Structures are given as structure tokens and as C-alpha cells.
Amino acid sequence: MKIICIGRNYAAHAKEMKAEVPTEPVFFMKPDTALLKENVFYIPDFTKDLHHELELVLKICKAGKHIHEQFAGSYYDEIGLGIDFTARDIQAQCKAQGLPWEKAKAFDNSAPIGTFVKKSDLDLQTIQLELKVNGERRQLGRVSDLIFSFDKIISYVSQFITLKTGDLIYTGTPEGVGPVKIGDTLEGFLNEHHLLTLTIK
Ligand code: MG
């Protein structure tokens, strides 16, 4: 399986990163070794500024290429929460040198994933995601704030890369990203569903 991540998909987050709001989806990938299903995350020693990015995650349920936006909804059947951990200091160096982001984004365990909710159990227009760190809200986003919809993302990415069953698409983070430190507890909520808990070590 592969992990596809969308960047800058909420205008307020693009602004906080001092990045332009994109006119077409920006995506990058993480390898399967980035996936973390456990509840404990160890901060790697190569970064001094590890940031959380809570994201809605789509689970692909059938293979497809060149998927038309009109039919994209049938290619995912579950929605969950994941964290696109980012070594912000490394990413800043990569950006400054015009280099790829993989060192900052695709390292082992950089993609914690929580449990999923069936798409059919959700009202897709009103989904909200929230990250609490040590019980305090840090990120809050609404699906209505997405620059590129789920269907648009699936359609766009599948023009370049074949999607397969079990692939995950991290759909971008709302504003409020920030550093984590040893001892923090991160909790992710999709509406009233508590889907993710992570202790930082
Ligand atoms: Mg992200």
C-alpha cells in the first residue's frame, strides 16, 4: 500500500505556513514504513522541531486510474484520522534548497493512523476534525473548508498514480500546526468519534 498526502488544502494553514494557496492539488507520498498503528510515537533524533498535522484520511476500496470526479466517491468507503508528522526544521532546509521533502515527511512512523468510520455513517458535508494536545484544542477544521474536495483529490491524483485497495490519502491539515514534545498526549476527534490517541516519547 501507499500513502498519498495532500499539502496546503486549507487556506488558513497555507497562510500560517506563508505559502500560496494552490490552484491545483499539491501531493507527496510516504512509504508503508511510515505507517504507525500503535499509540506511542518516539521523536526521532534528527529533528528539533517536530510538528503535528492532524488530517482526515480516506481509505481506498478499489483500484482505479483516471478516475472521473463524478465517480470518485465510490473509490473510498471509510474515513479516519491520521497525523502527518513533519520535521519542520528539516522541511524548511529542503524548501530553502528547492529539494524534495521526504527527509522531513516520509520517515519511519511519520504517519500515525487511528481507527476508521464507515463513510455511509457520516454526513460528508459536515465532517469536523479536532486535535487536542494534553486536553487542549490545537486544531479544528471542517470539511467545508477544504480547498480541494475528496472527490477532486482522488480524481487529480489518479491521473498520475493508480490507486489501489488499501491505499490511504491524507487530505491536508487545518491551521494550528505546532511542535510536540516528550510527554504530550495527542487525541484526534472526527465529529464525536474519538479515533486516535498518541503518546509522545
Ligand atoms: Mg500535511
Side-chain angles (χ1 to χ4, degrees):
M1 58 80 65
K2 54 189 174 290
I3 302 167
I4 295 159
C5 301
I6 308 298
R8 303 172 190 167
N9 203 17
Y10 293 81
H13 171 62
K15 192 174 174 194
E16 75 179 346
M17 295 305 298
K18 297 181 171 56
E20 286 182 18
V21 174
T23 53
E24 57 183 47
V26 173
F27 72 89
F28 57 93
M29 292 170 69
K30 300 194 186 215
D32 58 1
T33 42
L35 202 63
L36 176 68
K37 293 181 176 173
E38 277 92 56
N39 296 120
V40 175
F41 175 86
Y42 292 87
I43 297 179
D45 56 12
F46 55 74
T47 178
K48 296 205 162 20
D49 194 22
L50 185 81
H51 277 205
H52 57 73
E53 295 190 356
L54 184 72
E55 313 201 357
L56 292 165
V57 179
L58 311 179
K59 191 186 279 185
I60 298 298
C61 61
K62 63 179 178 184
K65 185 169 172 64
H66 294 301
I67 299 165
H68 195 287
E69 197 171 331
Q70 183 185 348
F71 305 114
S74 67
Y75 285 81
Y76 68 101
D77 59 355
E78 293 181 81
I79 302 176
L81 289 176
I83 296 177
D84 166 21
F85 270 130
T86 303
R88 198 67 77 196
D89 45 355
I90 308 284
Q91 187 192 33
Q93 292 169 16
C94 294
K95 280 182 178 176
Q97 297 171 52
L99 294 173
W101 290 348
E102 268 75 0
K103 275 200 299 187
K105 288 280 199 182
F107 54 86
D108 288 355
N109 299 329
S110 61
I113 190 75
T115 50
F116 284 81
V117 179
K118 280 201 179 75
K119 189 173 86 171
S120 53
D121 291 339
L122 294 166
D123 172 1
L124 293 184
Q125 311 307 317
T126 60
I127 294 174
Q128 183 168 294
L129 70 162
E130 180 183 13
L131 177 72
K132 290 183 179 175
V133 179
N134 305 325
E136 280 183 30
R137 178 186 289 171
R138 291 283 178 83
Q139 292 192 268
L140 180 68
R142 293 174 188 81
V143 79
S144 54
D145 294 332
L146 285 173
I147 298 170
F148 302 108
S149 68
F150 295 158
D151 291 350
K152 174 71 183 176
I153 290 167
I154 286 172
S155 174
Y156 184 84
V157 171
S158 74
Q159 307 307 308
F160 304 92
I161 295 171
T162 301
L163 298 178
K164 289 184 167 180
T165 302
D167 288 351
L168 299 177
I169 302 182
Y170 284 53
T171 58
T173 195
E175 66 181 305
V177 302
V180 297
K181 61 182 191 308
I182 292 171
D184 283 348
T185 299
L186 278 55
E187 295 173 289
F189 298 84
L190 189 164
N191 299 348
E192 73 279 16
H193 306 283
H194 184 177
L195 300 186
L196 185 135
T197 303
L198 201 60
T199 302
I200 308 297
K201 297 218 174 176

